[in-house]
Amino acid sequence: MNMPILWYFADPMCSWCWGFSPVIETLREAYRDRMRIALVLGGLRPGETAPLTAAGREDILHHWHQVHERTGQPFLFDHALPEGFVYDTEPASRAVVTVGGIDPALIFPLFKAIQSTFYAEGRDVTQPDVLAGMAATLGVGATVFMHVFDSDAAHARTQAHFQQARQAGVRGFPTLILQQETQLHPVCNGCLPLDTVRTAIDARLA
């Protein structure tokens, strides 16, 4: 019997996924011997080209405040989302796909680093040089990173992640779906508390 897979559908620039970060990290540690946890980049706003409007910025910051109040996760609100910012989540997602192709063990560390850098430090993680710098702190040389990041293969693999999320019927992030053999069981839709998620997982694994 194959080990169950917990599919984690998320986006590095999704604020509720940042709020959910402590939960997924706890799950990865607690269930490491009972199931595999695999990240699928869901594609929150891939390919966005228009700068945020003032109204759009206020709407997003409202969500950020909600996440901070509910989860306690750190946010840098001052000067966040400056004028002209284009909320394109594709480059950050492709960065995670890129390091995953170089060293799969770095997928979750880079995902979390992008989240922290964007939300807690207020840096622009849509910029390749910023992403390359984060990859470098994890041991992936900037030249190697950029070569893969710019490749057609990395673009295609990133789109495949987005497609997998759509095919799974995922409409929002974070979402957890547990796969046991060929059966798919929804576990979590939204930023739910750890105890709630663990109860749902344990019921399926029992």
Side-chain angles (χ1 to χ4, degrees), residues 24-205:
I24 198 67
E25 289 300 317
T26 300
L27 296 177
R28 291 183 65 228
E29 181 62 32
Y31 291 92
R32 63 169 60 242
D33 296 327
R34 300 179 65 192
M35 64 184 182
R36 184 165 70 89
I37 298 182
L39 176 66
V40 180
L41 287 310
L44 180 66
R45 295 166 175 252
E48 182 66 61
T49 58
L52 275 179
T53 62
R57 178 180 185 272
E58 288 305 310
D59 184 53
I60 290 171
L61 289 178
H62 173 69
H63 287 294
W64 288 15
H65 280 285
Q66 286 183 314
V67 176
H68 175 65
E69 289 164 11
R70 187 190 295 185
T71 69
Q73 284 286 81
F75 285 80
L76 184 68
F77 293 109
D78 293 340
H79 311 298
L81 306 174
E83 185 174 353
F85 180 73
V86 178
Y87 211 118
D88 177 13
T89 68
E90 193 274 346
S93 294
R94 182 158 34 105
V96 177
V97 171
T98 295
V99 299
I102 296 169
D103 183 353
L106 298 180
I107 291 173
F108 275 96
L110 184 65
F111 184 81
K112 187 176 180 180
I114 293 172
Q115 291 177 308
S116 179
T117 299
F118 183 50
Y119 290 110
E121 300 176 23
R123 298 183 66 200
D124 186 353
V125 297
T126 69
Q127 299 303 309
D129 60 324
V130 175
L131 296 166
M134 279 184 280
T137 66
L138 296 175
V140 178
T143 302
V144 173
F145 174 86
M146 289 306 304
H147 176 72
V148 179
F149 180 79
D150 286 334
S151 69
D152 291 341
H155 280 88
R157 286 198 302 270
T158 305
Q159 293 300 320
H161 274 254
F162 301 159
Q163 180 66 20
Q164 182 179 346
R166 288 192 294 269
Q167 288 178 337
V170 174
R171 295 289 180 265
F173 313 112
T175 290
L176 294 175
I177 296 176
L178 181 64
Q179 180 176 349
Q180 294 171 294
E181 298 298 336
T182 60
Q183 298 296 310
L184 298 175
H185 307 288
V187 167
C188 165
N189 185 6
C191 184
L192 301 180
L194 175 62
D195 289 348
T196 302
V197 179
R198 290 195 70 156
T199 298
I201 292 173
D202 291 341
R204 284 296 178 187
L205 293 180

